[in-house]
Amino acid sequence: MNLSQASSEGELAAESEDDQIFSCRIENAKVVTDILSAIHAGGKDNVCEVKASARAVVFSVLGRGKNTQARATMQAGLFEEFIFESGQQHESSGRAEGGMHFCINLTTLLDCLLLFGSTSESTAATLTYSSLDALFKISLEEAGVLTTCELVTLERDDVYAGNVTAEEARSTTLYAQFREHPEACRFILKAEPLRDAIQDMCDVLSGGDVTFHAMQSPEEMLKLSLKGSLDLFEVEFPKSSSAFVMFECLSETRWAYFNAAIQLGMKALTISKETFIRINSEGLMSIQHQIKDKRSGAQAAEPYIDFFILPVDDAP
């Protein structure tokens, strides 16, 4: 073997060690499509950060006004096949545990997943990514027809260029901000009654601000109110209501949020069974939807969607 051959083989070996590969397959693509649709804010320019690891794949979207952040977590057990491979260099440095990060256009991804329609439950989907070519591939199969789409990915630094660095973006997520302050109240509600209340609000007013008012004794309840220029809509959930799975109010809390942000944060109610709402002492709201998965044996891998919303202003 001459030196040029040795050098070439060494470069190939180094590339193999550096390569990170992620692949997952699900027999019902509608499960993934419904989840990603719930965090999609609309529009063509909808950048989504993807983080894949050996345990899960997470899709995160920061709102245009940076007052909202959505995150959909799909655990490995949700899929019929789930592969995450990392080269030796990544394993020795600990990066295999942290997983891989890249960004894609969520609107384009959904367009690809919906090529066979939005209601079909017989479409299988395979999602793959290799760090060597930086392409995110979506393969759809239905009735013997196979279609493959390739999406060009972006690095985090490219997405945040001219705004904040990738490291700053990681440290200033709304999730991190939420954990910096104690919780003032927390509730778990069944999806159906909460969905009905939010839908009634949407039917009455499209604008305005939604106020969440958590009260302590003697009238322990959660009151939602939407005030427009001329109309006022209110709905009350007493602590004794069957809508609650859990009710904890550590201090009386009253914060207002943009109606559009609340509507976006509650989109997942159509596919969830329970919703966990928390508000910290600074008014930052955390909404977590536990998503229904009707497939047998999938209970332990049920996906969930997190949504964080900043209040309208800094004062209750």
Side-chain angles (χ1 to χ4, degrees):
M1 180 183 296
N2 58 39
L3 291 178
S4 63
Q5 288 177 321
S7 175
S8 176
E9 290 182 3
E11 289 174 358
L12 289 174
E15 285 184 354
S16 177
E17 289 181 351
D18 281 338
D19 190 18
Q20 287 184 301
I21 298 173
F22 162 70
S23 177
C24 63
R25 177 179 173 83
I26 190 165
E27 294 300 324
N28 183 0
K30 189 175 186 298
V31 174
V32 173
T33 303
D34 287 347
I35 293 171
L36 294 181
S37 295
I39 66 170
H40 184 240
K44 295 182 179 179
D45 186 18
N46 209 290
V47 177
C48 175
E49 181 190 356
V50 183
K51 177 182 178 181
S53 68
R55 294 186 297 273
V57 57
V58 181
F59 295 80
S60 302
V61 178
L62 185 65
R64 292 185 181 88
K66 299 181 182 177
N67 63 333
T68 63
Q69 184 176 22
R71 183 176 62 186
T73 302
M74 290 177 264
Q75 301 175 68
L78 180 71
F79 301 89
E80 277 72 31
E81 296 178 9
F82 193 95
I83 299 170
F84 178 81
E85 296 180 355
S86 180
Q88 294 178 2
Q89 291 182 3
H90 293 298
E91 291 177 350
S92 63
S93 64
R95 288 180 60 183
E97 180 68 16
M100 62 176 74
H101 296 262
F102 56 91
C103 294
I104 57 175
N105 186 305
L106 182 57
T107 302
T108 306
L109 172 58
L110 284 170
D111 287 343
C112 294
L113 288 170
L114 292 170
L115 282 175
F116 289 113
S118 60
T119 60
S120 175
E121 296 187 359
S122 59
T123 301
T126 302
L127 311 179
T128 60
Y129 174 81
S130 170
S131 60
L132 284 184
D133 59 17
L135 291 177
F136 189 74
K137 300 178 182 179
I138 305 101
S139 297
L140 302 176
E141 184 177 356
E142 182 171 355
V145 178
L146 180 64
T147 302
T148 300
C149 305
E150 294 184 352
L151 304 185
V152 176
T153 61
L154 298 170
E155 294 291 336
R156 284 181 58 102
D157 288 324
D158 294 332
V159 173
Y160 294 105
N163 187 359
V164 294
T165 66
E167 188 60 34
E168 288 172 334
R170 288 191 183 96
S171 63
T172 58
T173 62
L174 296 187
Y175 171 72
Q177 292 181 37
F178 181 83
R179 299 185 62 183
E180 291 176 355
H181 303 279
E183 296 176 13
C185 57
R186 48 196 285 154
F187 319 97
I188 298 178
L189 294 99
K190 298 175 184 177
E192 185 175 355
L194 181 58
R195 180 175 63 246
D196 291 343
I198 297 298
Q199 184 59 54
D200 289 343
M201 278 188 178
C202 185
D203 291 341
V204 173
L205 290 168
S206 59
D209 301 332
V210 180
T211 299
F212 279 67
H213 189 184
M215 307 179 197
Q216 292 181 299
S217 57
E219 294 183 295
E220 292 182 292
M221 71 169 64
L222 173 64
K223 177 189 288 188
L224 310 184
S225 59
L226 173 59
K227 185 177 181 180
S229 57
L230 298 175
D231 299 308
L232 175 65
F233 176 89
E234 292 184 338
V235 60
E236 296 179 351
F237 292 100
K239 182 180 179 180
S240 58
S241 170
S242 60
F244 284 112
V245 177
M246 181 191 75
F247 180 104
E248 290 184 9
C249 183
L250 304 177
S251 60
E252 183 165 347
T253 304
R254 184 186 181 97
W255 293 92
Y257 306 86
F258 291 120
N259 187 19
I262 293 296
Q263 296 293 336
L264 183 59
M266 297 296 182
K267 276 181 68 175
L269 284 171
T270 58
I271 57 172
S272 65
K273 61 180 183 180
E274 291 181 354
T275 297
F276 187 21
I277 299 176
R278 295 176 291 168
I279 302 175
N280 71 8
S281 59
E282 298 299 306
L284 181 53
M285 177 185 292
S286 166
I287 304 171
Q288 184 177 84
H289 302 282
Q290 186 177 11
I291 307 303
K292 293 181 292 188
D293 187 358
K294 298 179 181 179
R295 299 174 302 162
S296 60
Q299 290 81 3
E302 286 180 333
Y304 54 91
I305 292 174
D306 293 290
F307 205 91
F308 299 91
I309 308 175
L310 288 170
V312 172
D313 50 43
D314 295 331

